[in-house]
Amino acid sequence: MRLKTRYNIGEIPHNEHPHPQAMRKNWLCLNGEWDFYKENAQGEKSYDGKILVPFSPETLNSGIAEDFCLYRGEKIVYTRKVCVEKNLLLGCTLLHFGAVDSECKVYLNGEKVGGHVGGFTAFTINVSDYIREGENILTVVCTDEATRNGGARGKQSDKRGGIWYTPQSGIWQTVWLESMPTPSIPDFRITPNVREKTVRIDLARAERAEITLYDGENVIHCENFQGGITLSYDFELWSPENPKLYPFILRNEAGDEVQSYFAMRSFGRMKDEKGVMRLTLNGKPYFFNGVLDQGYWSDGMLTYPCDAAALDELTMLKEMGFNTVRKHIKLEPMRWYHHCDKLGLVVWQDFVNGGGEYKFTHIAAFPFLGFHHRDDDYKYFARENEGGRYEFMHASQETLAQLYNCPCIGVWVPFNEGWGQFDSAQMNDFIYERDHTRIIDTVSGWHDQGVGKTELKSLHTYYTPLKVPSDPRPVVLSEFGGYSMKTEGHVFDEDKEFGYKKFKTQESLTDALEKLYLKKLMPLLRKGLCGCIYTQVSDVEEEINGLVTYDRAVVKVPVKTMRAINDRLADEWTKIFE
């Protein structure tokens, strides 16, 4: 049963600037009502009407009938009129898509202008030669075979149930136009260096630009440069306890202007006084206390209903005393990461899994018994399709580029529980070559390929006792808990429920959580545990092990109770490193 959240989505949903890390003044949100239809292989049309973008047709917020499903060989077609004024014709006009699941072709005024493969990463099309002042016709044609052909699918499954969810398709993040004069300021990379107290900003091309750097509202530096610049200042360090951001503006002689920001922080590893390897933040041992966030919503599925909904949920997690969020098997809109930057939440970012059909014995049963398998056995991990492996690598590169400038990203997680895992040691090197500033949790859960091939010992523990094995790497509990409680009237299916340990009342659930954290987990901090990720933020369909319900209407674990538990953990950590 679909459930509505309390949030008002409005006539033009998600109409805030979609990219706070690179903002220009001249832009136009294209969310809202579009014409829409589905077409099968025989050319027969159905669901011919209106859809509310950016919600997928399978969602309640889209306005499409509840029984919508995109079958093999079918496509969906979006069309809308776009009225363009001169401020969007400044020399270069770009058409941006936050995400389209899973393949699309894009047409403007009848001409094909581009397309994309991959349902979770953003893409941009230069439409300068096709767009015109006044009325334009934009058409997006989508297909979605990812759940069937081994493409990136995340938690979506045609056989939904348990930890696998209803698949969705089409546009599910913001669509927008942006214009700037030419030559324009190119993309840029921001790399802080805490040890040297500097920040490096590198443009993708050797263009000339001016940077104005702010501390609050005060200008603290202004300089012309070409290609790249190193900034030095007595920067405050960013942390969950002090989420300090430094805004800056880039300008060029053509009049292009981009607003952005950075933070001074570093993530690393070091041995403590007893020789135990620890994770660090800004060069000091730090305990990453987090929660697993699937990012699914009862009325929008992968798309949260509005910006306020995302901010409210992240604020709740911060008030509960968490300092970390593991973004599980999806990418969010860039505004979500901006909220984490501002609130002070470290993000452990998963890549999106793909491959063929997984065998339960290979991804769950055998690993629970302690059996690991070498991941160059492509058949074992449903990765025999070479094209699918290439697509994963391409999407990984897009993910790294898209999120590189987000201060909150602390850990990359390319593989989870063997879902389409392959060549993880090479993947570790692939990521490190492109970003050596974050930690890499190469193999989260199991099928660890050994010391020297991944930076962490990453454990998922649900049915067995919590423990810290002897290992030269930092040890993290990257999934645990999963305690469930059914909340009548706020569940997807009254007859089905999935959770790792079930409770009937809020009191019994909170008592069990207190015991789990303070009696079972807290003693492990002294034994070398460096981080923990509780499963999970919210219920998702019949998986009801969330801290809140699927419709976000009921907080199952009181905020003050969770905060008290997490404060005890923080106090224990402080005692260890006094």
Side-chain angles (χ1 to χ4, degrees):
M1 179 181 68
R2 298 187 183 186
L3 300 168
K4 193 78 178 73
T5 64
R6 62 184 170 85
Y7 293 96
N8 178 20
I9 58 178
E11 293 183 4
I12 304 179
H14 294 264
N15 59 9
E16 304 85 2
H17 195 289
H19 200 345
Q21 297 86 352
M23 293 178 59
R24 287 183 169 93
K25 294 180 181 179
N26 295 295
W27 72 284
L28 176 67
C29 181
L30 299 183
N31 294 342
E33 196 173 74
W34 292 49
D35 294 318
F36 174 88
Y37 65 85
K38 181 172 83 167
E39 185 177 299
N40 65 19
Q42 290 73 43
E44 298 168 332
K45 293 183 180 180
S46 58
Y47 300 95
D48 196 348
K50 303 290 185 180
I51 188 171
L52 192 63
V53 170
F55 299 104
S56 291
E58 294 85 354
T59 69
L60 184 63
N61 284 341
S62 72
I64 301 298
E66 190 165 336
D67 64 345
F68 184 91
C69 185
L70 191 64
Y71 295 102
R72 185 181 295 275
E74 295 184 327
K75 62 184 178 182
I76 49 179
V77 180
Y78 297 78
T79 305
R80 66 158 291 166
K81 295 178 181 178
V82 182
C83 186
V84 174
E85 298 181 358
K86 288 184 178 180
N87 71 322
L88 290 171
L89 299 171
L90 299 180
C92 178
T93 303
L94 303 177
L95 175 61
H96 299 279
F97 291 84
V100 180
D101 195 1
S102 63
E103 299 185 29
C104 70
K105 297 177 181 177
V106 182
Y107 302 83
L108 187 61
N109 299 320
E111 298 285 339
K112 184 180 177 182
V113 293
H116 188 256
V117 175
F120 290 82
T121 48
F123 61 98
T124 297
I125 301 171
N126 189 325
V127 296
S128 304
D129 294 337
Y130 304 91
I131 200 163
R132 61 197 179 208
E133 187 176 359
E135 185 176 281
N136 294 259
I137 303 298
L138 177 61
T139 302
V140 183
V141 181
C142 305
T143 57
D144 188 4
E145 304 288 347
T147 59
R148 308 173 190 105
N149 67 7
R153 61 181 181 270
K155 300 295 288 287
Q156 303 175 89
S157 174
D158 290 333
K159 301 175 183 177
R160 59 150 304 277
I163 66 168
W164 307 104
Y165 314 139
T166 302
Q168 62 183 84
S169 51
I171 299 170
W172 66 274
Q173 288 191 26
T174 292
V175 186
W176 51 295
L177 282 170
E178 177 186 49
S179 190
M180 68 285 294
T182 53
S184 59
I185 295 170
D187 292 340
F188 51 90
R189 281 167 58 100
I190 306 169
T191 307
N193 188 322
V194 168
R195 182 174 297 178
E196 297 183 4
K197 298 182 179 180
T198 61
V199 171
R200 179 73 185 178
I201 299 176
D202 289 297
L203 305 182
R205 300 189 306 270
E207 304 283 350
R208 293 193 64 81
E210 177 191 71
I211 186 169
T212 303
L213 177 63
Y214 296 84
D215 186 351
E217 296 182 356
N218 299 320
V219 175
I220 58 175
H221 189 81
C222 187
E223 183 179 351
N224 292 309
F225 69 96
Q226 183 168 358
I229 186 171
T230 298
L231 301 171
S232 181
Y233 180 70
D234 188 17
F235 295 112
E236 287 184 41
L237 297 177
W238 182 98
S239 70
E241 296 72 32
N242 181 48
K244 174 70 174 181
L245 302 177
Y246 288 90
F248 67 89
I249 297 175
L250 296 176
R251 300 182 182 89
N252 69 5
E253 293 180 351
D256 190 18
E257 180 176 302
V258 182
Q259 298 179 43
S260 187
Y261 61 89
F262 63 77
M264 177 62 73
R265 56 92 188 100
S266 67
F267 301 98
R269 304 182 300 166
M270 66 175 290
K271 288 184 178 180
D272 65 16
E273 293 179 352
K274 296 182 179 180
V276 178
M277 190 66 78
R278 301 287 189 173
L279 290 178
T280 64
L281 174 63
N282 300 326
K284 297 180 179 180
Y286 192 85
F287 189 74
F288 295 89
N289 180 13
V291 60
L292 191 78
D293 183 8
Q294 311 267 13
Y296 272 78
W297 296 73
S298 58
D299 51 4
M301 295 169 69
L302 285 174
T303 311
Y304 48 78
C306 61
D307 195 59
L311 181 56
D312 285 350
E313 184 154 280
L314 292 168
T315 300
M316 178 195 72
L317 296 178
K318 195 69 190 289
E319 290 174 347
M320 283 182 165
F322 293 107
N323 59 37
T324 301
V325 177
R326 180 180 170 197
K327 178 48 61 179
H328 195 40
I329 317 296
K330 70 171 288 197
L331 274 67
E332 292 286 4
M334 296 304 292
R335 289 194 65 83
W336 185 89
Y337 300 96
H338 175 63
H339 293 318
C340 292
D341 292 337
K342 290 185 68 178
L343 289 170
L345 282 164
V346 176
V347 175
W348 293 13
Q349 178 64 54
D350 288 12
F351 292 5
V352 181
N353 60 294
E357 186 173 349
Y358 309 145
K359 293 183 179 181
F360 174 78
T361 53
H362 296 178
I363 65 170
F366 292 165
F368 270 123
L369 296 173
F371 294 104
H372 296 172
H373 197 79
R374 56 184 178 82
D375 59 18
D376 59 354
D377 184 349
Y378 298 152
K379 183 176 182 180
Y380 189 91
F381 290 99
R383 273 296 188 185
E384 295 173 280
N385 185 292
E386 184 178 2
R389 299 196 302 273
Y390 173 82
E391 183 182 329
F392 180 84
M393 299 300 290
H394 180 70
S396 299
Q397 195 159 345
E398 289 185 322
T399 299
L400 294 167
Q402 181 174 330
L403 300 179
Y404 183 87
N405 288 344
C406 298
C408 62
I409 303 290
V411 175
W412 298 117
V413 187
F415 294 119
N416 179 76
E417 295 186 352
W419 303 348
Q421 181 178 322
F422 67 96
D423 299 337
S424 60
Q426 291 91 322
M427 172 57 73
N428 191 91
D429 294 341
F430 177 87
I431 297 171
Y432 186 83
E433 288 172 2
R434 288 157 179 79
D435 180 11
H436 61 273
T437 69
R438 273 95 174 191
I439 299 298
I440 306 169
D441 182 6
T442 318
V443 180
S444 183
W446 33 76
H447 298 298
D448 185 352
Q449 301 300 293
V451 176
K453 297 183 179 181
T454 181
E455 296 180 358
L456 298 180
K457 180 66 176 178
S458 182
L459 307 173
H460 292 187
T461 305
Y462 290 110
Y463 297 112
T464 55
L466 303 184
K467 60 182 180 179
V468 176
S470 177
D471 200 282
R473 299 165 292 183
V475 178
V476 296
L477 194 56
S478 47
E479 286 187 31
F480 79 110
Y483 289 1
S484 68
M485 185 190 82
K486 184 177 180 181
T487 311
E488 299 290 342
H490 300 280
V491 293
F492 177 79
D493 191 327
E494 293 287 351
D495 299 321
K496 294 181 180 179
E497 57 181 280
F498 176 89
Y500 296 99
K501 195 172 184 180
K502 300 177 182 179
F503 298 89
K504 298 287 188 181
T505 66
Q506 185 182 76
E507 183 180 18
S508 62
L509 174 63
T510 53
D511 286 347
L513 274 175
E514 186 171 8
K515 180 180 179 182
L516 176 66
Y517 271 88
L518 302 183
K519 301 296 185 182
K520 299 180 179 180
L521 187 140
M522 192 163 70
L524 301 181
L525 272 58
R526 292 184 180 273
K527 296 180 180 181
L529 188 65
C530 299
C532 64
I533 304 292
Y534 179 81
T535 303
Q536 62 185 341
V537 174
S538 72
D539 296 349
V540 184
E541 297 193 348
E542 65 192 51
E543 186 178 358
I544 58 169
N545 49 17
L547 298 173
V548 300
T549 55
Y550 193 21
D551 58 1
R552 273 61 170 187
V554 179
V555 180
K556 300 187 206 176
V557 181
V559 171
K560 290 184 178 179
T561 301
M562 198 70 239
R563 180 61 185 242
I565 292 171
N566 285 329
D567 282 350
R568 289 278 301 276
L569 280 186
D571 290 344
E572 177 68 9
W573 185 262
T574 300
K575 291 176 183 177
I576 295 171
F577 291 98
E578 281 181 331

